[in-house]
Amino acid sequence: MGEQQHVTFPQEVIDEYAALGVDLVAMFSAGHLGTRMGVEIVEASAERVVGTMPVEGNTQPYGLLHGGASAVLAETLGSVGSMLHAGSSKIAVGVDLNCTHHRGVRSGLVTGVATPVHRGRSTATYEIVISDDQQRRVCTARLTCLLREAPAR
């Protein structure tokens, strides 16, 4: 855990943010919490965001993946999708997160895939499906973000 891995963005998105002096990979590194939890974003666009997180280090007392860890992965992925949809002139602020936990996981890596349900001017909603190493659904989440004008840089 710790170091953030390479994040894939469409070149036009990288160029848009670079023109504003923003390091897009650093911006979407999952932050300090995501880094501590080992979240890695491996693919990112407004249409699909994929990330992984190890189960080890993110468990509850019974040795199962903590539901809050799934929520962190889901909110991270949905927020990245919302920010990419909104563009560089807006910021995405999570206003609703709903998680349904389907099965326990004791080891390995979980993978989350965020896809848009709604992408509007003022809100964006993403469904995030988290699966285990055997592609079994562990958690289904839905995140809605409010899209606000970015403060002047």
Side-chain angles (χ1 to χ4, degrees):
M1 288 197 296
E3 218 35 55
Q4 183 64 34
Q5 299 298 315
H6 181 265
V7 180
T8 305
F9 291 98
Q11 189 60 49
E12 64 272 12
V13 175
I14 293 171
D15 294 343
E16 177 183 356
Y17 282 84
L20 299 170
V22 176
D23 180 346
L24 196 61
V25 174
M27 176 183 261
F28 291 117
S29 68
H32 294 294
L33 176 61
T35 299
R36 279 195 304 269
M37 297 181 72
V39 172
E40 294 184 5
I41 301 168
V42 296
E43 176 187 334
S45 72
E47 291 76 33
R48 177 180 156 96
V49 182
V50 180
T52 61
M53 181 179 66
V55 174
E56 183 180 352
N58 294 314
T59 57
Q60 38 89 311
Y62 296 118
L64 300 169
L65 177 65
H66 195 292
S70 294
V72 167
L73 178 60
E75 185 151 355
T76 299
L77 300 179
S79 293
V80 168
S82 295
M83 286 290 293
L84 291 174
H85 160 67
S88 59
S89 66
K90 294 188 176 184
I91 61 171
V93 180
V95 294
D96 182 63
L97 177 63
N98 167 316
C99 298
T100 301
H101 307 287
H102 305 293
R103 70 171 52 245
V105 181
R106 292 187 179 279
S107 63
L109 200 65
V110 291
T111 301
V113 179
T115 54
V117 174
H118 166 77
R119 291 186 295 171
R121 288 188 307 269
S122 61
T123 63
T125 301
Y126 280 75
E127 177 183 61
I128 304 92
V129 175
I130 300 173
S131 302
D132 65 12
D133 288 333
Q134 289 78 47
Q135 286 73 50
R136 296 177 298 189
R137 191 177 291 223
V138 171
C139 175
T140 303
R142 186 189 68 245
L143 174 70
T144 297
C145 288
L146 177 65
L147 307 177
R148 301 182 61 187
E149 293 300 319
R153 297 194 201 289

